[in-house]
Amino acid sequence: MSDTPFGFGLPPEEPENGDEGKKKGNQGGQSGPNPFGFGTGLPGGLPGGSGGQGDADNPFAAMFGSMNPNDLGAAFQQLGQMLSYEGGPVNWDMAKDIARQTVAQGTPDGVKDASVGIAEKSAVEEAVRLADHWLDDVTSLPSGAATAVAWSRAEWVEATLPVWKELVDPVAERVGAAMGGVLPEEMQAMAGPLLGMMRSMGGAMFGQQIGQAVGTLAGEVVGSTDIGLPLGPVGKAALLPLNIEGFGKDLGVSPDEVRLYLALREAAHARLFAHVPWLRSHLFGAVEAYARGIKVDTSKLEDVVGQLDPSNPEQLQEALQGGMFQPQDTPEQKASLARLETALALVEGWVDAVVHEAAKPRLTSADAMRETMRRRRASGGPAEQTFATLIGLELRPRRLRDASRLWASLTDARGVDGRDGLWEHPDMLPTASDLDDPDGFVHREQLDFSEIDKMLGEAARKREQDGSEQGRPEQDGDDKK
């Protein structure tokens, strides 16, 4: 048995003494992550939290150290909230709290979050306004950024959590169902309390994972569309001045050029998602379709449940993080993955091509920043680690360069209107095989879906007219009666 009842300690907070505080807070604690974001060693070094080996004979001392009564009450309150959680598959209140705590701790390079000043807000607004003006020359899609905002890291967390919820909940729901189904049917009726605890643990585990990942990601993103999905509100182009400063620190490029280039990318994404109404649901549907094909290794889960020690919930977390999610090797699963990867590549490739066309004649560092962004997207980051952990999925546009070349070739062959017109319907877009043969796609005769829509509309109006005409004689007959 662990010295700490249920394996809980205090929630992590920002250490008062920087690195020294972190070192003190980690002494004698757990060696691995706690699914609830709490540690027996009081990670983060809360005042009064020793977590040392000397407390081994006193589980309450090991759990709470020499805290004052107010801290003790708060810890018991959070423990009660944890075990009484009866919400959805993810404890999103916990996810939000942990994300905010992660942001407050700062990035590994020691940069802390900070409120955005008036001058920074003005610089972002001006950059987005100028970027939109430049994009008018290279795309037929109108501006999609009704407003431009400058966010702190904490504000990015608040603004994007609703979208993370939409992406993660379906997968967490499957895991929750699997957790409830590992016991024999005849035992499930008698295991109500255990199942309830497991659901609470599952919700907390996902909340802890997604909270840490979103909080870490907030320290790296430069806008609301870094991962290729629209994480922010519709109609807002959002940039994070603090992270933009870190992004451009080692590039040898003026801060104004870096900000403007990233504003071009954010504004280009905004145009695409604002004026291609089916695109968002297409991308999110591809994520969900892929998630439906994830296989939960119930044998591993059964082993964990059979050996579950209520005082050591870390067992469950280790199993969930140890490869329990496995993509099914089926044609449907492969098709879902190909659909998602191609869609991400087409979005990122279009943005890459359009932004380069706008920036090349105006920014001396356009080529260098383009290559930096391409490598950044290719190498991945916390967002991909999040999805790889949760559903085995990496949000990486593997064929970004191929897609960018195809969009550029389409511009040369069909012009801006012909290129952007392909976004009118998902069936008009290039496929994965088209990325293998871009020239063949560029010069292939494309269906004109606008004409088909026009024909369907005229047919519908004709049916309505025919129906109304057939109804008139009957009405006249009634009048004569």
Side-chain angles (χ1 to χ4, degrees), residues 4-10 30 34 36 38-40 63 79 82-83 313:
T4 303
F6 301 102
F8 292 95
L10 285 180
Q30 298 166 337
N34 188 304
F36 300 92
F38 297 87
T40 57
M63 181 177 181
L79 175 58
M82 188 79 62
L83 295 180

Side-chain angles (χ1 to χ4, degrees), residues 7-139:
F8 292 95
L10 285 180
E13 290 188 5
E14 181 181 336
E16 291 185 351
N17 299 322
D19 293 337
E20 288 299 317
K22 292 180 182 177
K23 293 175 183 177
K24 292 177 183 178
N26 288 333
Q27 289 176 357
Q30 298 166 337
S31 60
N34 188 304
F36 300 92
F38 297 87
T40 57
L42 305 182
L46 263 177
S50 64
Q53 297 296 327
D55 296 326
D57 296 331
N58 186 341
F60 289 97
M63 181 177 181
F64 301 117
S66 55
M67 292 185 302
N68 62 47
N70 291 334
D71 292 335
L72 184 63
F76 273 118
Q77 182 180 6
Q78 292 195 15
L79 175 58
Q81 291 173 349
M82 188 79 62
L83 295 180
S84 63
Y85 174 71
E86 296 180 351
V90 177
N91 188 332
W92 286 102
D93 290 335
M94 172 180 288
K96 179 179 176 180
D97 290 343
I98 291 178
R100 293 294 298 261
Q101 291 167 10
T102 303
V103 165
Q105 290 170 2
T107 49
D109 59 3
V111 177
K112 302 282 188 178
D113 193 20
S115 299
V116 180
I118 296 177
E120 291 172 318
K121 291 180 180 179
S122 298
V124 166
E125 291 172 358
E126 176 62 21
V128 172
R129 185 197 64 77
L130 183 56
D132 250 341
H133 177 66
W134 289 358
L135 289 172
D136 286 338
D137 297 334
V138 296
T139 175

Side-chain angles (χ1 to χ4, degrees), residues 92-439:
W92 286 102
D93 290 335
M94 172 180 288
K96 179 179 176 180
D97 290 343
I98 291 178
R100 293 294 298 261
Q101 291 167 10
T102 303
V103 165
Q105 290 170 2
T107 49
D109 59 3
V111 177
K112 302 282 188 178
D113 193 20
S115 299
V116 180
I118 296 177
E120 291 172 318
K121 291 180 180 179
S122 298
V124 166
E125 291 172 358
E126 176 62 21
V128 172
R129 185 197 64 77
L130 183 56
D132 250 341
H133 177 66
W134 289 358
L135 289 172
D136 286 338
D137 297 334
V138 296
T139 175
S140 61
L141 298 179
S143 174
T147 57
V149 293
W151 284 339
S152 66
R153 294 167 178 170
E155 289 172 328
W156 183 89
V157 168
E158 296 279 353
T160 62
L161 271 180
V163 179
W164 289 112
K165 185 177 188 296
E166 185 177 349
L167 289 169
V168 174
D169 268 352
V171 185
E173 187 71 51
R174 286 179 52 80
V175 177
M179 290 172 67
V182 296
L183 293 177
E185 186 174 348
E186 61 273 12
M187 293 181 59
Q188 292 190 19
M190 298 183 295
L194 176 59
L195 293 177
M197 178 179 290
M198 289 176 65
R199 282 192 292 269
S200 296
M201 290 167 64
M205 183 276 296
F206 270 104
Q208 187 260 357
Q209 282 189 328
I210 197 68
Q212 285 186 343
V214 170
T216 302
L217 185 58
E220 294 190 0
V221 294
V222 294
S224 68
T225 55
D226 279 31
I227 67 170
L229 297 174
L231 297 178
V234 176
K236 282 189 177 180
L239 295 176
L240 283 72
L242 183 62
N243 292 354
I244 290 176
E245 181 181 350
F247 173 84
K249 183 171 60 175
D250 299 324
L251 294 180
V253 179
S254 73
D256 290 341
E257 281 206 14
V258 173
R259 186 191 307 112
L260 188 48
Y261 186 84
L262 297 177
L264 279 167
R265 290 184 52 84
E266 183 75 7
H269 277 103
R271 289 184 182 228
L272 203 54
F273 288 115
H275 299 292
V276 181
W278 54 265
L279 181 57
R280 186 182 189 277
S281 60
H282 180 77
L283 287 169
F284 281 59
V287 173
E288 187 172 353
Y290 183 84
R292 283 197 300 268
I294 296 297
K295 178 182 178 182
V296 178
D297 188 350
T298 54
S299 63
K300 180 178 292 187
L301 193 54
E302 287 172 0
D303 292 340
V304 174
V305 173
Q307 305 171 12
L308 187 62
D309 179 358
S311 69
N312 188 20
E314 294 88 346
Q315 289 177 336
L316 180 60
Q317 165 116 9
E318 292 170 359
L320 294 174
Q321 289 182 331
M324 195 174 68
F325 306 109
Q326 299 173 355
Q328 292 182 344
D329 190 17
T330 64
E332 294 79 11
Q333 183 71 351
K334 291 178 180 178
S336 297
L337 180 58
R339 177 187 172 208
L340 177 59
E341 290 184 341
T342 300
L344 287 172
L346 291 175
V347 169
E348 291 295 289
W350 184 88
V351 169
D352 180 79
V354 167
V355 167
H356 188 68
E357 190 176 352
K360 178 69 172 176
R362 298 178 174 97
L363 300 178
T364 57
S365 58
D367 289 332
M369 285 191 288
R370 182 190 203 186
E371 187 60 28
T372 298
M373 288 304 303
R374 283 180 165 185
R375 291 180 179 178
R376 176 185 171 100
R377 290 296 285 123
S379 61
E384 294 176 39
Q385 295 167 13
T386 300
F387 276 83
T389 299
L390 294 174
I391 60 176
L393 176 64
E394 293 182 346
L395 291 174
R396 185 179 302 178
R398 300 181 186 278
R399 307 196 64 181
L400 185 155
R401 294 176 188 268
D402 294 335
S404 182
R405 281 193 294 268
L406 187 146
W407 288 118
S409 297
L410 282 168
T411 307
D412 295 337
R414 304 185 187 182
V416 168
D417 291 341
R419 177 200 66 199
D420 294 346
L422 295 178
W423 291 106
E424 291 181 5
H425 195 282
D427 291 342
M428 298 177 68
L429 287 178
T431 64
S433 59
D434 292 325
L435 295 180
D436 295 329
D437 181 21
D439 290 337

